Amino acid sequence: MSVAGTNTAPGGRDERDTPVPEPGGHRDLDPDQLPDGLVIADEQGRVTCFNAAAGRITGVAPADALGQPLEKALPLEDLEGRRWWQLTDPYGGLLAIRVRQPERNLLLPGGREVLVTARYVRDAPLGPVRSVVVCLRDTEARRRTERSHAELIATVAHELRSPLTSVKGFTATLLAKWERFTDDQKRLMLETVDADADRVTRLIAELLDISRIDSGRLEVRRQPVDIKAAVSRHIQAYVAAGQPAERFLLRIEQPLPALWADPDKIDQVLSNLIENAVRHGEGTVTIGITPSASPREGEETGTAVTVSDEGPGIPEESMNRVFTRFWRGSKRGGTGLGLYIVKGIVEAHGGTITVGRAHRGGAEFRFTLPVAAPAYLA
């Protein structure tokens, strides 16, 4: 479609002969290059444009649609089965000031849903409709999003039900039969309630993180971070909980660059990766901290952290799904949200994270964080 003027220039030259360049230097725009379906009907309601995307979405060959009445080339029904063109009557409707139809779900023959918007082009505000421009979009992307939200709700409901049932059961029992239990029994029940309350708190925190990541509102408050001390704290916690100290190997390559990051969020990343290696992996869990190589000569390096184990590793066919929601490497519990959050946190810092196979066969996660400083020091 060429964009052209409509007035006569001085000297008798018709400006319609002078196409106005499109942004980027393109004078002509081929409707078949558009990602969405485009259908245009003239003032008689005959289709004058039916691009390739419209053909793909509707299953109608563009050549067969051209010249056909709009309601025949693009038969649409609302969700109650009523014919949409008869309801809206774009050419003879009572609302002569209408210029558009907002996006809505409509049905193609066979019941396939499609998102439709329309614009009514008039020469004057109350004049007759000169053309109808219809935009079509497949609903598959929206359906995937809705399925993802439904899965999230189902997962949350399932994960909340177990600890809340336990909390309710133990508290009700204690309130009803407090005097019948020994102090040791009471302590055991209260410790169970406390642990289940922590599970609920962690799940709610994960949901808040996912919401911030998906909406782009995850805030990073950079401070100096001692990454060696942070890793050491996690190792000491596992040893205190009963893991053998020899199961953990910490390797550090000096000198490390100064690391400015959000300490709480980096701690969350380390917690998830080390927990995955301990829970799902086998053998020695190796954590390596090194300066990361800069791709450009002369630029400062960042910090790279690798966490690997000696277990069976991650199947090759699952590598590209590791950082998606609900991915679980085994049946040993978990919500399947941890690595999705880890990726979001690392990328919010401007870093990258990858997964691969360790030298001894297990899984190896590697994340890099660039050199950075808080805004007031920049």
Side-chain angles (χ1 to χ4, degrees), residues 106-119:
L106 296 174
L107 300 176
L108 292 168
R112 181 180 178 184
E113 287 191 27
V114 63
L115 297 173
V116 179
T117 54
R119 183 168 183 85

Side-chain angles (χ1 to χ4, degrees), residues 119-364:
R119 183 168 183 85
Y120 306 143
V121 180
R122 305 172 188 271
D123 291 337
L126 298 178
V129 173
R130 295 301 182 189
S131 64
V132 175
V133 181
V134 183
C135 182
L136 306 174
R137 289 183 179 177
D138 201 321
T139 60
E140 186 56 36
R142 181 171 294 188
R143 284 182 178 276
R144 284 196 298 268
T145 301
E146 291 173 351
R147 282 196 297 269
S148 178
H149 289 165
E151 289 175 5
L152 180 60
I153 292 171
T155 299
V156 170
H158 175 76
E159 293 294 329
L160 284 174
R161 181 182 300 165
S162 177
L164 289 179
T165 300
S166 172
V167 168
K168 176 62 177 175
F170 279 121
T171 53
T173 301
L174 285 170
L175 287 171
K177 304 177 181 179
W178 179 267
E179 301 296 336
R180 299 185 185 183
F181 296 108
T182 65
D183 288 345
D184 287 342
Q185 289 172 327
K186 292 174 183 176
R187 175 178 292 276
L188 178 60
M189 291 184 186
L190 290 174
E191 287 175 347
T192 304
V193 169
D194 184 63
D196 286 333
D198 287 341
R199 282 180 60 189
V200 173
T201 301
R202 284 196 301 271
L203 180 58
I204 292 172
E206 286 183 343
L207 292 176
L208 290 174
D209 286 334
I210 287 175
S211 174
R212 295 186 184 111
I213 290 169
D214 288 347
S215 63
R217 293 186 292 106
L218 187 66
E219 294 184 4
V220 174
R221 297 175 180 171
R222 297 183 186 273
Q223 301 174 34
V225 174
D226 186 341
I227 192 69
K228 174 185 174 182
V231 172
S232 297
R233 284 196 301 272
H234 284 284
I235 294 175
Q236 291 166 7
Y238 276 105
V239 172
Q243 290 287 338
E246 57 271 16
R247 188 178 181 190
F248 300 93
L249 176 61
L250 176 58
R251 291 176 174 168
I252 302 174
E253 182 181 324
Q254 299 284 2
L256 292 172
L259 176 60
W260 289 81
D262 189 312
D264 292 336
K265 290 182 172 55
I266 295 305
D267 204 58
Q268 190 176 354
V269 170
L270 293 172
S271 175
N272 269 284
L273 295 181
I274 296 174
E275 181 182 0
N276 275 346
V278 171
R279 178 185 292 183
H280 305 294
E282 298 173 4
T284 302
V285 175
T286 303
I287 301 102
I289 308 173
T290 62
S292 64
S294 175
R296 298 180 183 177
E297 187 176 352
E299 287 190 358
E300 292 185 276
T301 59
T303 301
V305 179
T306 60
V307 179
S308 60
D309 62 76
E310 299 174 351
I314 298 171
E316 194 71 30
E317 62 272 14
S318 297
M319 289 286 188
N320 62 345
R321 296 189 291 111
V322 167
F323 297 109
T324 59
R325 291 183 186 180
F326 314 118
W327 183 84
R328 295 179 177 88
S330 69
K331 297 180 180 179
R332 300 182 188 178
T335 61
L337 300 174
L339 291 176
Y340 178 82
I341 294 171
V342 163
K343 183 174 184 287
I345 291 174
V346 170
E347 291 181 346
H349 280 80
T352 59
I353 185 166
T354 58
V355 61
R357 188 167 293 279
H359 294 301
R360 298 188 180 182
E364 179 179 278

Side-chain angles (χ1 to χ4, degrees), residues 16-29:
R16 288 175 294 180
D17 297 332
T18 307
V20 178
E22 297 282 344
H26 298 288
R27 294 187 176 185
D28 297 314
L29 177 62

